[in-house]
């Protein structure tokens, strides 16, 4: 029975999961304002983009 | 010019990272950041670039990789935040050290595509659907237990996501010494060869994204 594939190239979906949900957070939460622009909106855009990208990848498979 | 934080390192290790990174320090703690103009674009190249830089930093010595999108208006603003969390960051650096994260994705050999299932139209269908998902989660936890059962005690601090998406039973992150990477790969390979429910894919070594707060 096979099934294990050693890989160092991380799929985009896993990178998105890690970089947006994990990692050290310096200031209270993931949202830091820059010149009045709240990055939570940015994060939501990324998540939406990642979901659609993942759906596309599933269709292509 | 704004600063996009890439990672936190000890002062002694910051000297290795010149060039394109700005080092903002408070005592023994240094934030390594990239100068940016405004808010960074949240696209694939930016995310992969962030991952590449965080990996490069961690390959050079102990670090706490930053979550993407932490932007500060200037060095002063960043230094203030580091100062307010200096002791906590130093303790995390000590805990994580030079160890690396390995990510193991367990995929069902016979996946169920929940997204393709019709919406339940009766109470019975709803309960059956919910029971099926609970069985899948229980089976996924069993698969994780089988995977981790043969690992040494240092691997028991694993971070696990159960059924994160269709077809995937679990994603398991373990924090290990660099010289244990080969042993872990061999363990996972043997596990996957012998398990009739899931296959396994290993990614890493990665910066310890899942083991910092």
């Amino acid at each position: 029975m096979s099934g294990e594939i050693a890989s160092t190239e991380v799929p985009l979906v896993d990178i998105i999961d890690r970089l947006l949900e994990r990692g050290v957070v310096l200031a209270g939460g993931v949202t830091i304002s820059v010149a009045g622009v709240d990055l939570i909106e940015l994060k939501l855009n990324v998540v939406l983009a990642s979901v659609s990208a993942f759906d596309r990848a599933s269709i292509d498979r | 010019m704004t600063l996009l934080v890439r990672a936190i390192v000890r002062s002694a290790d910051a000297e290795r990272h010149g060039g394109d990174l700005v080092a903002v320090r408070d005592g023994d703690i240094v934030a390594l950041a990239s100068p940016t103009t405004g808010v960074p674009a949240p696209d694939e190249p930016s995310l992969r670039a962030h991952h590449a830089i965080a990996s490069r930093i961690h390959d050079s010595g102990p670090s706490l990789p930053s979550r993407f999108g932490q932007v500060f208006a200037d060095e002063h603003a960043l230094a203030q935040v580091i100062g307010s969390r200096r002791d906590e960051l130093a303790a995390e650096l000590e805990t994580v050290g030079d160890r690396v994260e390995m990510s193991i994705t367990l995929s069902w050999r016979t996946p169920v595509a929940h997204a393709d299932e019709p919406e339940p139209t009766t109470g019975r269908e709803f309960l059956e659907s919910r029971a099926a998902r609970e069985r899948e989660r229980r089976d996924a936890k069993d698969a994780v237990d089988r995977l981790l059962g043969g690992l040494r005690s240092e691997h028991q601090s694993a971070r696990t996501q159960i059924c994160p998406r269709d077809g995937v039973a679990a994603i398991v992150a373990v924090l290990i010494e660099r010289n244990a990477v080969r042993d872990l790969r061999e363990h996972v390979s043997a596990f996957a060869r012998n398990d009739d429910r899931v296959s396994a894919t290993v990614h890493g070594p990665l910066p310890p994204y899942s083991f910092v707060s």
Side-chain angles (χ1 to χ4, degrees), chain B residues 56-76:
Chain B
R56 188 184 79 203
I57 292 169
H58 198 68
D59 283 346
S60 301
S63 76
L64 307 177
S66 172
R67 192 173 294 186
F68 180 81
Q70 296 192 89
V71 180
F72 289 81
D74 53 32
E75 291 189 25
H76 177 70

mmCIF file with all atom_site columns, all heavy atoms in Angstrom, chain B residues 56-76:
data_model
loop_
_atom_site.group_PDB
_atom_site.id
_atom_site.type_symbol
_atom_site.label_atom_id
_atom_site.label_alt_id
_atom_site.label_comp_id
_atom_site.label_asym_id
_atom_site.label_entity_id
_atom_site.label_seq_id
_atom_site.pdbx_PDB_ins_code
_atom_site.Cartn_x
_atom_site.Cartn_y
_atom_site.Cartn_z
_atom_site.occupancy
_atom_site.B_iso_or_equiv
_atom_site.pdbx_formal_charge
_atom_site.auth_seq_id
_atom_site.auth_comp_id
_atom_site.auth_asym_id
_atom_site.auth_atom_id
_atom_site.pdbx_PDB_model_num
ATOM 1   N N   . ARG B 1 56 ? 13.971 31.349 5.294  1.00 0.00 ? 56 ARG B N   1
ATOM 2   C CA  . ARG B 1 56 ? 15.396 31.709 5.227  1.00 0.00 ? 56 ARG B CA  1
ATOM 3   C C   . ARG B 1 56 ? 15.884 32.150 6.601  1.00 0.00 ? 56 ARG B C   1
ATOM 4   O O   . ARG B 1 56 ? 16.969 31.765 7.042  1.00 0.00 ? 56 ARG B O   1
ATOM 5   C CB  . ARG B 1 56 ? 15.575 32.844 4.210  1.00 0.00 ? 56 ARG B CB  1
ATOM 6   C CG  . ARG B 1 56 ? 17.017 33.186 3.894  1.00 0.00 ? 56 ARG B CG  1
ATOM 7   C CD  . ARG B 1 56 ? 17.073 34.375 2.956  1.00 0.00 ? 56 ARG B CD  1
ATOM 8   N NE  . ARG B 1 56 ? 16.862 35.636 3.670  1.00 0.00 ? 56 ARG B NE  1
ATOM 9   C CZ  . ARG B 1 56 ? 16.422 36.762 3.118  1.00 0.00 ? 56 ARG B CZ  1
ATOM 10  N NH1 . ARG B 1 56 ? 16.118 36.784 1.848  1.00 0.00 ? 56 ARG B NH1 1
ATOM 11  N NH2 . ARG B 1 56 ? 16.274 37.854 3.830  1.00 0.00 ? 56 ARG B NH2 1
ATOM 12  N N   . ILE B 1 57 ? 15.071 32.943 7.283  1.00 0.00 ? 57 ILE B N   1
ATOM 13  C CA  . ILE B 1 57 ? 15.465 33.432 8.617  1.00 0.00 ? 57 ILE B CA  1
ATOM 14  C C   . ILE B 1 57 ? 15.593 32.258 9.586  1.00 0.00 ? 57 ILE B C   1
ATOM 15  O O   . ILE B 1 57 ? 16.573 32.149 10.321 1.00 0.00 ? 57 ILE B O   1
ATOM 16  C CB  . ILE B 1 57 ? 14.418 34.451 9.135  1.00 0.00 ? 57 ILE B CB  1
ATOM 17  C CG1 . ILE B 1 57 ? 14.469 35.730 8.286  1.00 0.00 ? 57 ILE B CG1 1
ATOM 18  C CG2 . ILE B 1 57 ? 14.671 34.775 10.616 1.00 0.00 ? 57 ILE B CG2 1
ATOM 19  C CD1 . ILE B 1 57 ? 13.303 36.679 8.545  1.00 0.00 ? 57 ILE B CD1 1
ATOM 20  N N   . HIS B 1 58 ? 14.611 31.358 9.553  1.00 0.00 ? 58 HIS B N   1
ATOM 21  C CA  . HIS B 1 58 ? 14.642 30.249 10.521 1.00 0.00 ? 58 HIS B CA  1
ATOM 22  C C   . HIS B 1 58 ? 15.766 29.254 10.205 1.00 0.00 ? 58 HIS B C   1
ATOM 23  O O   . HIS B 1 58 ? 16.292 28.606 11.104 1.00 0.00 ? 58 HIS B O   1
ATOM 24  C CB  . HIS B 1 58 ? 13.299 29.533 10.572 1.00 0.00 ? 58 HIS B CB  1
ATOM 25  C CG  . HIS B 1 58 ? 13.118 28.696 11.802 1.00 0.00 ? 58 HIS B CG  1
ATOM 26  N ND1 . HIS B 1 58 ? 13.003 29.240 13.060 1.00 0.00 ? 58 HIS B ND1 1
ATOM 27  C CD2 . HIS B 1 58 ? 13.094 27.344 11.979 1.00 0.00 ? 58 HIS B CD2 1
ATOM 28  C CE1 . HIS B 1 58 ? 12.895 28.275 13.957 1.00 0.00 ? 58 HIS B CE1 1
ATOM 29  N NE2 . HIS B 1 58 ? 12.945 27.114 13.331 1.00 0.00 ? 58 HIS B NE2 1
ATOM 30  N N   . ASP B 1 59 ? 16.122 29.146 8.924  1.00 0.00 ? 59 ASP B N   1
ATOM 31  C CA  . ASP B 1 59 ? 17.242 28.265 8.555  1.00 0.00 ? 59 ASP B CA  1
ATOM 32  C C   . ASP B 1 59 ? 18.562 28.786 9.119  1.00 0.00 ? 59 ASP B C   1
ATOM 33  O O   . ASP B 1 59 ? 19.523 28.036 9.260  1.00 0.00 ? 59 ASP B O   1
ATOM 34  C CB  . ASP B 1 59 ? 17.345 28.147 7.029  1.00 0.00 ? 59 ASP B CB  1
ATOM 35  C CG  . ASP B 1 59 ? 16.287 27.208 6.471  1.00 0.00 ? 59 ASP B CG  1
ATOM 36  O OD1 . ASP B 1 59 ? 15.677 26.463 7.263  1.00 0.00 ? 59 ASP B OD1 1
ATOM 37  O OD2 . ASP B 1 59 ? 16.056 27.238 5.249  1.00 0.00 ? 59 ASP B OD2 1
ATOM 38  N N   . SER B 1 60 ? 18.603 30.095 9.409  1.00 0.00 ? 60 SER B N   1
ATOM 39  C CA  . SER B 1 60 ? 19.845 30.691 9.918  1.00 0.00 ? 60 SER B CA  1
ATOM 40  C C   . SER B 1 60 ? 19.948 30.638 11.437 1.00 0.00 ? 60 SER B C   1
ATOM 41  O O   . SER B 1 60 ? 21.015 30.891 11.993 1.00 0.00 ? 60 SER B O   1
ATOM 42  C CB  . SER B 1 60 ? 19.944 32.160 9.477  1.00 0.00 ? 60 SER B CB  1
ATOM 43  O OG  . SER B 1 60 ? 19.924 32.238 8.085  1.00 0.00 ? 60 SER B OG  1
ATOM 44  N N   . GLY B 1 61 ? 18.847 30.362 12.119 1.00 0.00 ? 61 GLY B N   1
ATOM 45  C CA  . GLY B 1 61 ? 18.885 30.321 13.579 1.00 0.00 ? 61 GLY B CA  1
ATOM 46  C C   . GLY B 1 61 ? 17.488 30.403 14.155 1.00 0.00 ? 61 GLY B C   1
ATOM 47  O O   . GLY B 1 61 ? 16.508 30.572 13.418 1.00 0.00 ? 61 GLY B O   1
ATOM 48  N N   . PRO B 1 62 ? 17.353 30.293 15.475 1.00 0.00 ? 62 PRO B N   1
ATOM 49  C CA  . PRO B 1 62 ? 16.027 30.307 16.109 1.00 0.00 ? 62 PRO B CA  1
ATOM 50  C C   . PRO B 1 62 ? 15.235 31.566 15.755 1.00 0.00 ? 62 PRO B C   1
ATOM 51  O O   . PRO B 1 62 ? 15.772 32.676 15.762 1.00 0.00 ? 62 PRO B O   1
ATOM 52  C CB  . PRO B 1 62 ? 16.355 30.285 17.603 1.00 0.00 ? 62 PRO B CB  1
ATOM 53  C CG  . PRO B 1 62 ? 17.701 29.651 17.690 1.00 0.00 ? 62 PRO B CG  1
ATOM 54  C CD  . PRO B 1 62 ? 18.432 30.097 16.451 1.00 0.00 ? 62 PRO B CD  1
ATOM 55  N N   . SER B 1 63 ? 13.953 31.380 15.447 1.00 0.00 ? 63 SER B N   1
ATOM 56  C CA  . SER B 1 63 ? 13.106 32.539 15.126 1.00 0.00 ? 63 SER B CA  1
ATOM 57  C C   . SER B 1 63 ? 11.652 32.213 15.410 1.00 0.00 ? 63 SER B C   1
ATOM 58  O O   . SER B 1 63 ? 11.275 31.043 15.520 1.00 0.00 ? 63 SER B O   1
ATOM 59  C CB  . SER B 1 63 ? 13.255 32.923 13.647 1.00 0.00 ? 63 SER B CB  1
ATOM 60  O OG  . SER B 1 63 ? 12.546 32.023 12.820 1.00 0.00 ? 63 SER B OG  1
ATOM 61  N N   . LEU B 1 64 ? 10.859 33.257 15.534 1.00 0.00 ? 64 LEU B N   1
ATOM 62  C CA  . LEU B 1 64 ? 9.400  33.127 15.608 1.00 0.00 ? 64 LEU B CA  1
ATOM 63  C C   . LEU B 1 64 ? 8.843  33.717 14.311 1.00 0.00 ? 64 LEU B C   1
ATOM 64  O O   . LEU B 1 64 ? 8.894  34.932 14.125 1.00 0.00 ? 64 LEU B O   1
ATOM 65  C CB  . LEU B 1 64 ? 8.841  33.906 16.809 1.00 0.00 ? 64 LEU B CB  1
ATOM 66  C CG  . LEU B 1 64 ? 9.444  33.607 18.175 1.00 0.00 ? 64 LEU B CG  1
ATOM 67  C CD1 . LEU B 1 64 ? 8.822  34.517 19.240 1.00 0.00 ? 64 LEU B CD1 1
ATOM 68  C CD2 . LEU B 1 64 ? 9.247  32.146 18.553 1.00 0.00 ? 64 LEU B CD2 1
ATOM 69  N N   . PRO B 1 65 ? 8.351  32.877 13.397 1.00 0.00 ? 65 PRO B N   1
ATOM 70  C CA  . PRO B 1 65 ? 7.827  33.406 12.131 1.00 0.00 ? 65 PRO B CA  1
ATOM 71  C C   . PRO B 1 65 ? 6.573  34.222 12.373 1.00 0.00 ? 65 PRO B C   1
ATOM 72  O O   . PRO B 1 65 ? 5.738  33.866 13.213 1.00 0.00 ? 65 PRO B O   1
ATOM 73  C CB  . PRO B 1 65 ? 7.537  32.146 11.322 1.00 0.00 ? 65 PRO B CB  1
ATOM 74  C CG  . PRO B 1 65 ? 7.274  31.094 12.349 1.00 0.00 ? 65 PRO B CG  1
ATOM 75  C CD  . PRO B 1 65 ? 8.167  31.424 13.519 1.00 0.00 ? 65 PRO B CD  1
ATOM 76  N N   . SER B 1 66 ? 6.433  35.290 11.633 1.00 0.00 ? 66 SER B N   1
ATOM 77  C CA  . SER B 1 66 ? 5.285  36.178 11.825 1.00 0.00 ? 66 SER B CA  1
ATOM 78  C C   . SER B 1 66 ? 4.102  35.749 10.969 1.00 0.00 ? 66 SER B C   1
ATOM 79  O O   . SER B 1 66 ? 4.266  35.254 9.855  1.00 0.00 ? 66 SER B O   1
ATOM 80  C CB  . SER B 1 66 ? 5.681  37.610 11.436 1.00 0.00 ? 66 SER B CB  1
ATOM 81  O OG  . SER B 1 66 ? 4.544  38.450 11.436 1.00 0.00 ? 66 SER B OG  1
ATOM 82  N N   . ARG B 1 67 ? 2.927  35.957 11.511 1.00 0.00 ? 67 ARG B N   1
ATOM 83  C CA  . ARG B 1 67 ? 1.718  35.822 10.706 1.00 0.00 ? 67 ARG B CA  1
ATOM 84  C C   . ARG B 1 67 ? 1.746  36.891 9.613  1.00 0.00 ? 67 ARG B C   1
ATOM 85  O O   . ARG B 1 67 ? 2.225  37.996 9.838  1.00 0.00 ? 67 ARG B O   1
ATOM 86  C CB  . ARG B 1 67 ? 0.498  36.021 11.609 1.00 0.00 ? 67 ARG B CB  1
ATOM 87  C CG  . ARG B 1 67 ? -0.813 35.637 10.993 1.00 0.00 ? 67 ARG B CG  1
ATOM 88  C CD  . ARG B 1 67 ? -1.906 35.699 12.008 1.00 0.00 ? 67 ARG B CD  1
ATOM 89  N NE  . ARG B 1 67 ? -1.737 34.680 13.061 1.00 0.00 ? 67 ARG B NE  1
ATOM 90  C CZ  . ARG B 1 67 ? -2.634 34.444 14.008 1.00 0.00 ? 67 ARG B CZ  1
ATOM 91  N NH1 . ARG B 1 67 ? -3.746 35.142 14.046 1.00 0.00 ? 67 ARG B NH1 1
ATOM 92  N NH2 . ARG B 1 67 ? -2.424 33.517 14.917 1.00 0.00 ? 67 ARG B NH2 1
ATOM 93  N N   . PHE B 1 68 ? 1.229  36.558 8.431  1.00 0.00 ? 68 PHE B N   1
ATOM 94  C CA  . PHE B 1 68 ? 1.267  37.522 7.323  1.00 0.00 ? 68 PHE B CA  1
ATOM 95  C C   . PHE B 1 68 ? 0.347  38.710 7.580  1.00 0.00 ? 68 PHE B C   1
ATOM 96  O O   . PHE B 1 68 ? -0.753 38.548 8.109  1.00 0.00 ? 68 PHE B O   1
ATOM 97  C CB  . PHE B 1 68 ? 0.834  36.845 6.019  1.00 0.00 ? 68 PHE B CB  1
ATOM 98  C CG  . PHE B 1 68 ? 0.846  37.774 4.833  1.00 0.00 ? 68 PHE B CG  1
ATOM 99  C CD1 . PHE B 1 68 ? 2.023  38.059 4.170  1.00 0.00 ? 68 PHE B CD1 1
ATOM 100 C CD2 . PHE B 1 68 ? -0.319 38.387 4.407  1.00 0.00 ? 68 PHE B CD2 1
ATOM 101 C CE1 . PHE B 1 68 ? 2.051  38.923 3.094  1.00 0.00 ? 68 PHE B CE1 1
ATOM 102 C CE2 . PHE B 1 68 ? -0.310 39.260 3.330  1.00 0.00 ? 68 PHE B CE2 1
ATOM 103 C CZ  . PHE B 1 68 ? 0.873  39.523 2.675  1.00 0.00 ? 68 PHE B CZ  1
ATOM 104 N N   . GLY B 1 69 ? 0.819  39.882 7.208  1.00 0.00 ? 69 GLY B N   1
ATOM 105 C CA  . GLY B 1 69 ? -0.047 41.061 7.221  1.00 0.00 ? 69 GLY B CA  1
ATOM 106 C C   . GLY B 1 69 ? 0.126  41.966 8.412  1.00 0.00 ? 69 GLY B C   1
ATOM 107 O O   . GLY B 1 69 ? -0.688 42.867 8.611  1.00 0.00 ? 69 GLY B O   1
ATOM 108 N N   . GLN B 1 70 ? 1.161  41.750 9.211  1.00 0.00 ? 70 GLN B N   1
ATOM 109 C CA  . GLN B 1 70 ? 1.380  42.634 10.357 1.00 0.00 ? 70 GLN B CA  1
ATOM 110 C C   . GLN B 1 70 ? 2.249  43.813 9.911  1.00 0.00 ? 70 GLN B C   1
ATOM 111 O O   . GLN B 1 70 ? 3.461  43.688 9.786  1.00 0.00 ? 70 GLN B O   1
ATOM 112 C CB  . GLN B 1 70 ? 2.044  41.874 11.495 1.00 0.00 ? 70 GLN B CB  1
ATOM 113 C CG  . GLN B 1 70 ? 1.148  40.765 12.031 1.00 0.00 ? 70 GLN B CG  1
ATOM 114 C CD  . GLN B 1 70 ? 1.642  40.199 13.330 1.00 0.00 ? 70 GLN B CD  1
ATOM 115 O OE1 . GLN B 1 70 ? 1.310  40.682 14.407 1.00 0.00 ? 70 GLN B OE1 1
ATOM 116 N NE2 . GLN B 1 70 ? 2.466  39.184 13.232 1.00 0.00 ? 70 GLN B NE2 1
ATOM 117 N N   . VAL B 1 71 ? 1.602  44.905 9.677  1.00 0.00 ? 71 VAL B N   1
ATOM 118 C CA  . VAL B 1 71 ? 2.262  46.080 9.118  1.00 0.00 ? 71 VAL B CA  1
ATOM 119 C C   . VAL B 1 71 ? 2.277  47.201 10.148 1.00 0.00 ? 71 VAL B C   1
ATOM 120 O O   . VAL B 1 71 ? 1.256  47.468 10.795 1.00 0.00 ? 71 VAL B O   1
ATOM 121 C CB  . VAL B 1 71 ? 1.532  46.554 7.843  1.00 0.00 ? 71 VAL B CB  1
ATOM 122 C CG1 . VAL B 1 71 ? 2.229  47.778 7.257  1.00 0.00 ? 71 VAL B CG1 1
ATOM 123 C CG2 . VAL B 1 71 ? 1.482  45.442 6.823  1.00 0.00 ? 71 VAL B CG2 1
ATOM 124 N N   . PHE B 1 72 ? 3.421  47.834 10.319 1.00 0.00 ? 72 PHE B N   1
ATOM 125 C CA  . PHE B 1 72 ? 3.544  48.944 11.264 1.00 0.00 ? 72 PHE B CA  1
ATOM 126 C C   . PHE B 1 72 ? 3.927  50.211 10.509 1.00 0.00 ? 72 PHE B C   1
ATOM 127 O O   . PHE B 1 72 ? 4.601  50.156 9.482  1.00 0.00 ? 72 PHE B O   1
ATOM 128 C CB  . PHE B 1 72 ? 4.599  48.612 12.325 1.00 0.00 ? 72 PHE B CB  1
ATOM 129 C CG  . PHE B 1 72 ? 4.135  47.545 13.283 1.00 0.00 ? 72 PHE B CG  1
ATOM 130 C CD1 . PHE B 1 72 ? 4.209  46.204 12.936 1.00 0.00 ? 72 PHE B CD1 1
ATOM 131 C CD2 . PHE B 1 72 ? 3.592  47.886 14.507 1.00 0.00 ? 72 PHE B CD2 1
ATOM 132 C CE1 . PHE B 1 72 ? 3.761  45.219 13.801 1.00 0.00 ? 72 PHE B CE1 1
ATOM 133 C CE2 . PHE B 1 72 ? 3.140  46.906 15.378 1.00 0.00 ? 72 PHE B CE2 1
ATOM 134 C CZ  . PHE B 1 72 ? 3.231  45.579 15.028 1.00 0.00 ? 72 PHE B CZ  1
ATOM 135 N N   . ALA B 1 73 ? 3.465  51.310 11.066 1.00 0.00 ? 73 ALA B N   1
ATOM 136 C CA  . ALA B 1 73 ? 3.639  52.580 10.362 1.00 0.00 ? 73 ALA B CA  1
ATOM 137 C C   . ALA B 1 73 ? 5.110  52.968 10.240 1.00 0.00 ? 73 ALA B C   1
ATOM 138 O O   . ALA B 1 73 ? 5.522  53.542 9.238  1.00 0.00 ? 73 ALA B O   1
ATOM 139 C CB  . ALA B 1 73 ? 2.862  53.682 11.082 1.00 0.00 ? 73 ALA B CB  1
ATOM 140 N N   . ASP B 1 74 ? 5.918  52.647 11.273 1.00 0.00 ? 74 ASP B N   1
ATOM 141 C CA  . ASP B 1 74 ? 7.348  52.999 11.224 1.00 0.00 ? 74 ASP B CA  1
ATOM 142 C C   . ASP B 1 74 ? 8.102  52.193 12.290 1.00 0.00 ? 74 ASP B C   1
ATOM 143 O O   . ASP B 1 74 ? 7.509  51.409 13.037 1.00 0.00 ? 74 ASP B O   1
ATOM 144 C CB  . ASP B 1 74 ? 7.551  54.506 11.435 1.00 0.00 ? 74 ASP B CB  1
ATOM 145 C CG  . ASP B 1 74 ? 6.860  54.995 12.697 1.00 0.00 ? 74 ASP B CG  1
ATOM 146 O OD1 . ASP B 1 74 ? 6.774  54.219 13.673 1.00 0.00 ? 74 ASP B OD1 1
ATOM 147 O OD2 . ASP B 1 74 ? 6.390  56.150 12.705 1.00 0.00 ? 74 ASP B OD2 1
ATOM 148 N N   . GLU B 1 75 ? 9.420  52.413 12.368 1.00 0.00 ? 75 GLU B N   1
ATOM 149 C CA  . GLU B 1 75 ? 10.254 51.655 13.306 1.00 0.00 ? 75 GLU B CA  1
ATOM 150 C C   . GLU B 1 75 ? 9.854  51.941 14.754 1.00 0.00 ? 75 GLU B C   1
ATOM 151 O O   . GLU B 1 75 ? 9.892  51.046 15.606 1.00 0.00 ? 75 GLU B O   1
ATOM 152 C CB  . GLU B 1 75 ? 11.731 52.002 13.096 1.00 0.00 ? 75 GLU B CB  1
ATOM 153 C CG  . GLU B 1 75 ? 12.271 51.483 11.773 1.00 0.00 ? 75 GLU B CG  1
ATOM 154 C CD  . GLU B 1 75 ? 13.777 51.639 11.674 1.00 0.00 ? 75 GLU B CD  1
ATOM 155 O OE1 . GLU B 1 75 ? 14.446 51.686 12.727 1.00 0.00 ? 75 GLU B OE1 1
ATOM 156 O OE2 . GLU B 1 75 ? 14.280 51.719 10.536 1.00 0.00 ? 75 GLU B OE2 1
ATOM 157 N N   . HIS B 1 76 ? 9.467  53.161 15.033 1.00 0.00 ? 76 HIS B N   1
ATOM 158 C CA  . HIS B 1 76 ? 9.099  53.527 16.395 1.00 0.00 ? 76 HIS B CA  1
ATOM 159 C C   . HIS B 1 76 ? 7.875  52.724 16.858 1.00 0.00 ? 76 HIS B C   1
ATOM 160 O O   . HIS B 1 76 ? 7.853  52.186 17.974 1.00 0.00 ? 76 HIS B O   1
ATOM 161 C CB  . HIS B 1 76 ? 8.817  55.035 16.479 1.00 0.00 ? 76 HIS B CB  1
ATOM 162 C CG  . HIS B 1 76 ? 8.370  55.473 17.843 1.00 0.00 ? 76 HIS B CG  1
ATOM 163 N ND1 . HIS B 1 76 ? 9.213  55.482 18.928 1.00 0.00 ? 76 HIS B ND1 1
ATOM 164 C CD2 . HIS B 1 76 ? 7.153  55.878 18.290 1.00 0.00 ? 76 HIS B CD2 1
ATOM 165 C CE1 . HIS B 1 76 ? 8.532  55.892 19.999 1.00 0.00 ? 76 HIS B CE1 1
ATOM 166 N NE2 . HIS B 1 76 ? 7.291  56.145 19.639 1.00 0.00 ? 76 HIS B NE2 1
#
